[in-house]
Structure formats: C-alpha cells, structure tokens
Amino acid sequence: MGGWRDMSAEALEEQYSPSRWSPRLGSDAIVQAHLEATAAGTQQARAEARTSLHVPYGDGDREKLDIYFPADPAGTFPLLVYIHGGYWQCLSKDESGFAALPLVSRGVAVAAVGYDTAPTGHMDAMVLQVRRSVAFLVQRHAGIRGIYLCGHSAGAHLAAMVLSTDWTEYGVAPDIKGAVLVSGVYDLEPILHTYVNDELNMSQEVAQRNSPMLHITPAAMACQVLVAVAQHDSPEFRRQSQEYGQALRAAGWSVSLLDLAGVDHFDIIEKLSEESYVLTQVILNMISRA
C-alpha cells in the first residue's frame, strides 16, 4: 500500500499532531490560542446575536445545542450546523459559536452542536449524536430552508458521517444542501496507531465502521460539498482531504477542493468570525446560490 503504512510510529504521530505544523506558534501555545480565540468569539456571538442556548436534543449532559438566529428570521432561514473539532476529546459547543455573527447578519441561522467527547464518549455514540441533532433540528424548526453542515478537524469527520446517514431510521428527510468540511480526517485507520486512540480506544472494526471514506453513499444531487484544507496542515491531513474529495466526486457528488494559503490547522477555522475571510465568503456564496 505504501503511504502512512510505511511510516515509523514517530512519523505517524507527527503527521497526526496538527499543532506541530503551524509556523505561527509552538505546539502547546497554538492549542491554547485556539481555545481562547474560539471561546472569545463564541462569547461575542452570544452577546450580540439572538440565541437559544443549551437546547437539549437528547437526555445526555452534552446532548445540547446552541442556536444563533438572524435578527429577523422571517419565517424561513437557511441553517448552518457547526460541529466542533478537538480530536473527539476536547472543545464543546461553548467554543463553537465564533462563526455565527457574519452568518446571522446575512440571514443564516447557526446551530452549534455538543456531543460526548472521549473518554466517556465512544465513536459510534458521537456519530449517532450528531445525526440525532440534525434530525432534532429538522423536527423542531419548520422554517429551515436548507441545511448546511460545517465541521472542523474531528468535526469534519462527524459532518462527513452525517452525509452517509440512512435517514429512514430517523423518521426525517433533512434537506442537506451543502457541507463544508475543514481540515478533516476521513479514514480513521491511521489514527489507531497514534496517541489519539489512547483516549478513543477504537478497535479496527469501530474505525472502519466510522470512516467516511469507506461509507460514501450515492450522491445527494442537490448537495454541494466543499473540502477545505490549510497550507500548513500536515501532508497526511492534506492527503486525506484530497482523497476523500476525489472519492466523493467519483461517486457523483458535486465537490470543490479548496486549498487555503497562509493558514494552519487552527486559524483556517478561527477566521470564520471575519466576514471578509475567503472561507466565510465561500460559505455565504454556497448558501445564496442554493
């Protein structure tokens, strides 16, 4: 096979340690800066937007979501569902509203989804939770005019798993018109051989069952998929994004690959708090064209 299978354990750890690849800051500092930037952006959005916070979509402590509404939700509105990263182990919906203000100002509602992170959360359960959160939003808000998924890193993986959902089991048919997958992991097998799996405790079977790359469904024709990757993501993250995008395209999906210059694994998503940022504009254009 070649590729990651030929790497030493140390090389593989390095490839799947996004904080080691940023030219801006050292490994610990970049993670801390990311926590601070996303938390501060979320606080600002909660202060300035109309919100419904801590809405339970299930019975679990973390099965809650925050909704940021446009100033004038005139009956119907497009909804962006944001799924946070943190390597399935950290972050929460409380750092996931930072992208809301540029979107709500243009009439788009944003839902930030919480889910159980490891070690208490298991991969099967996380995938089930994000799927249930989408079903819940569809049932709760009759005025949704198209759903757009957006996930970062581990959240891009979870958003991609939402794309492969058999919705007949959920009793709803969400009108998913777009997905923006940012710096994601789409094949979990390499993760099994890194420190990341110390907390996740995935078996090979669990990794295969929850790898979007292995569960590409026939194309939903109305759905646009944007696979975005940062210049300063590791080669493995970049490879995963490229190969997943190609596999979706081969299955008939409408896919764009966006390679963003001058950003790393962290600020590629943090900058969604800025209306002028290229990825913010791409998302707004995707929604306005639908």
Side-chain angles (χ1 to χ4, degrees), residues 54-262:
H54 319 303
V55 179
Y57 66 85
D59 298 328
D61 285 348
R62 282 196 162 224
E63 294 185 340
K64 295 185 173 72
L65 44 84
D66 296 339
I67 309 173
Y68 301 79
F69 291 101
D72 179 25
T76 67
F77 47 82
L79 174 68
L80 182 113
V81 177
Y82 181 79
I83 304 167
H84 69 79
Y87 249 160
W88 307 278
Q89 296 170 53
C90 61
L91 294 175
S92 71
K93 69 176 182 57
D94 299 324
E95 297 87 25
S96 300
F98 59 91
L101 290 176
L103 293 164
V104 297
S105 71
R106 300 281 288 274
V108 180
V110 175
V113 176
Y115 55 89
D116 284 322
T117 48
T120 49
H122 298 281
M123 189 60 71
D124 289 323
M126 295 181 219
V127 170
L128 184 62
Q129 284 172 324
V130 293
R131 287 171 168 167
R132 280 199 287 111
S133 74
V134 172
F136 168 83
L137 284 160
V138 171
Q139 286 160 334
R140 178 185 167 98
H141 294 284
I144 295 172
R145 192 173 73 249
I147 288 176
Y148 299 82
L149 305 170
C150 179
H152 172 239
S153 196
H157 158 266
L158 293 169
M161 288 301 291
V162 173
L163 289 181
S164 71
T165 306
D166 176 0
W167 291 107
T168 55
E169 299 173 31
Y170 295 83
V172 294
D175 182 16
I176 299 175
K177 291 187 169 173
V180 179
L181 309 175
V182 184
S183 293
V185 177
Y186 308 104
D187 173 8
L188 298 184
E189 192 175 349
I191 296 283
L192 293 174
H193 308 283
T194 70
Y195 71 96
V196 183
N197 201 42
D198 295 350
E199 293 282 308
L200 293 172
N201 209 18
M202 287 188 295
S203 64
Q204 180 116 14
E205 184 187 27
V206 169
Q208 289 178 341
R209 187 161 61 233
N210 293 291
S211 287
M213 192 74 184
L214 303 179
H215 300 282
I216 291 172
T217 56
M221 292 322 291
C223 184
Q224 302 274 323
V225 181
L226 173 69
V227 181
V229 68
Q231 177 184 349
H232 301 296
D233 266 317
S234 75
E236 268 295 281
F237 269 80
R238 292 170 59 80
R239 174 191 68 80
Q240 286 232 12
S241 292
Q242 191 169 14
E243 291 185 4
Y244 182 60
Q246 288 167 344
L248 282 174
R249 194 174 282 152
W253 290 77
S254 173
V255 181
S256 311
L257 280 162
L258 184 61
D259 192 336
L260 283 162

Side-chain angles (χ1 to χ4, degrees), residues 29-39 91 152 266-267 269-270:
I30 194 90
V31 172
Q32 190 56 37
H34 182 61
L35 292 171
E36 289 169 5
T38 52
L91 294 175
H152 172 239
F266 302 95
D267 59 352
I269 198 79
E270 292 164 10

